[in-house]
Amino acid sequence: PALARLMPDLQFLHLSGNGELEKVRAAYAAPNLPAVVRPFLAEMAQALGAATAAVSRAGASTLTEIAAMRLPAVLIPYPHAAYDHQLCNARAFAKAGAARLVEQRDATPQVISQSVVELMNHADVRAGIAAALAPWHQPQAAAQIAARLLRSMGLPEVVPNPDRGGRGAPATPSALRHPQVALP
């Protein structure tokens, strides 16, 4: 509601998880806020592509998606994540100018609202964050890691095969003697 008072034309997509679905729906319904609340969404590319900004946790998969879509975000790391890795992730993004960081202990409605309003009202800020996100998007990272691992083991590399949807195929017939290097 604090954010809606500042920006009454906002529309919300809130992914709540199964356990909080009805509670979150009721929270939007009470003040009559325009929101779609779902427990989960498989079509994240479409959702992130349609968004102007996001408020999100800071897990690796989420940050990968945010970077791929160049979506400005306010990151609120889950404070109970193993080894506090979400805070480490969020700090790295924030230090690079690729996101805004708000720790959960500081995530009051006012702080979150101010952060979102800054992103929504300032195209130059969003553009700067989008530019800072570019280096974080590495679509070939898995292939590069696999190639380095294979080289370090003295095995032939696997090269992408467009006939197999870009999945790997042995680079040489000798790789066939090493079934562990064939990718499905």
Side-chain angles (χ1 to χ4, degrees):
L3 182 55
R5 281 191 294 278
L6 295 170
M7 302 190 80
D9 294 331
L10 286 182
Q11 297 177 12
F12 301 91
L13 170 60
H14 192 128
L15 305 181
S16 65
N18 287 322
E20 301 290 323
L21 179 64
E22 294 309 319
K23 179 182 174 183
V24 173
R25 280 186 177 155
Y28 282 101
N32 200 28
L33 297 176
V36 173
V37 180
R38 299 235 175 110
F40 176 80
L41 186 65
E43 303 83 9
M44 285 306 295
Q46 290 87 345
L48 296 176
T52 304
V55 176
S56 179
R57 294 298 194 182
S61 295
T62 299
L63 295 182
T64 299
E65 292 170 332
I66 286 171
M69 300 304 293
R70 310 290 195 276
L71 181 63
V74 177
L75 301 176
I76 305 171
Y78 180 61
H80 306 293
Y83 305 104
D84 216 8
H85 72 275
Q86 288 200 12
L87 179 59
C88 294
N89 294 347
R91 281 183 177 154
F93 267 51
K95 183 177 178 181
R100 297 294 187 257
L101 167 61
V102 176
E103 291 192 47
Q104 185 162 312
R105 67 175 179 258
D106 302 324
T108 64
Q110 294 75 24
V111 169
I112 295 170
S113 296
Q114 290 170 354
S115 298
V116 172
V117 167
E118 177 196 18
L119 294 179
M120 297 297 290
N121 284 341
H122 299 283
D124 58 327
V125 172
R126 289 194 311 274
I129 291 172
L133 283 165
W136 293 94
H137 179 57
Q138 298 292 322
Q140 300 302 320
Q144 292 168 356
I145 291 168
R148 287 181 184 175
L149 287 171
L150 291 170
R151 278 195 307 271
S152 74
M153 294 185 298
L155 298 172
E157 291 185 35
V158 175
V159 295
N161 182 340
D163 295 333
R164 297 179 68 210
R167 293 179 300 193
T172 65
S174 66
L176 297 176
R177 290 193 298 267
H178 305 284
Q180 68 271 23
V181 300
L183 298 178

